[in-house]
Amino acid sequence: MEQSILMLDNRTDAATKQMLENVVKRKRKFDDFKYTHNLSVMLTLLLTSIFFYYLYKTIVTAYSYSFMAMFSAFLQEKTNLFFLVITIGMYGMMNLLKTKREKAEKEYHALRCEIVDRSKDLWKKEDEWKNRHVVYAMMKEKYDINLYHENK
């Protein structure tokens, strides 16, 4: 369990600490997928740009007089087909990572909203209820998790 969550002592009970730990894990999972998705978008754009530049320099400029000549020249080089397959594969991976990122975001947001909705149940005692702002501030400062409102 996270050290800062363990140090909350009497401000929360064990179940609440576990919920806070789970929301931190889901936030990290979402951040990881967000980073890898953004990286895959950049790599896909870079690879596509390089591929089109390569095609322009090697095929379009040399065989611009006929589409059939360009198509034949494209198919004669195995590197063109290999480059095309790699580019399409990167595009597919980018879409797969986007789907995983959206799923992780939904899981994170659902758990965060559940904590916000159940705050009256999680901090039942009067002194816990008065000190919940300390927990909220710590989660916002340390993990960038907003528990004050349901909206992002």
Side-chain angles (χ1 to χ4, degrees):
M1 189 171 282
E2 294 288 323
Q3 188 66 26
S4 54
I5 294 175
L6 285 174
M7 294 180 68
L8 292 174
D9 294 334
N10 61 348
R11 292 186 182 97
T12 60
D13 60 345
T16 305
K17 287 180 184 177
Q18 190 61 44
M19 286 182 78
L20 293 173
E21 177 71 20
N22 286 339
V23 79
V24 168
K25 285 180 184 176
R26 291 200 178 142
K27 169 75 170 160
R28 286 188 179 142
K29 181 180 175 183
F30 165 64
D31 287 343
D32 290 344
F33 276 123
K34 186 177 176 182
Y35 174 77
T36 54
H37 175 254
N38 288 339
L39 184 65
S40 72
V41 168
M42 295 300 165
L43 287 175
T44 302
L45 288 174
L46 178 69
L47 193 62
T48 304
S49 300
I50 292 170
F51 182 52
F52 283 144
Y53 180 75
Y54 172 76
L55 286 179
Y56 178 76
K57 283 296 190 185
T58 59
I59 295 177
V60 174
T61 56
Y63 302 100
S64 62
Y65 57 87
S66 168
F67 176 76
M68 286 305 289
M70 284 192 291
F71 189 68
S72 299
F74 178 81
L75 291 179
Q76 285 176 354
E77 282 290 322
K78 290 184 180 181
T79 55
N80 293 339
L81 293 175
F82 178 72
F83 219 162
L84 181 65
V85 168
I86 295 296
T87 305
I88 291 172
M90 280 297 295
Y91 179 74
M93 187 174 106
M94 180 186 73
N95 286 336
L96 178 69
L97 287 171
K98 180 181 178 188
T99 305
K100 287 185 176 188
R101 185 196 75 184
E102 289 173 349
K103 181 182 175 195
E105 182 180 16
K106 284 179 186 176
E107 289 174 356
Y108 158 67
H109 187 66
L111 185 57
R112 192 182 66 77
C113 287
E114 183 180 346
I115 291 174
V116 172
D117 287 341
R118 294 183 54 203
S119 62
K120 290 183 180 178
D121 297 334
L122 297 173
W123 288 277
K124 291 179 183 175
K125 298 177 186 172
E126 186 67 28
D127 59 327
E128 289 177 352
W129 181 255
K130 289 180 181 177
N131 288 327
R132 79 186 189 289
H133 67 86
V134 175
V135 176
Y136 289 0
M138 184 273 301
M139 293 296 285
K140 179 68 175 165
E141 180 183 318
K142 269 212 168 280
Y143 305 108
D144 195 30
I145 297 174
N146 184 5
L147 296 176
Y148 293 105
H149 306 285
E150 283 187 24
N151 293 340
K152 296 178 185 180

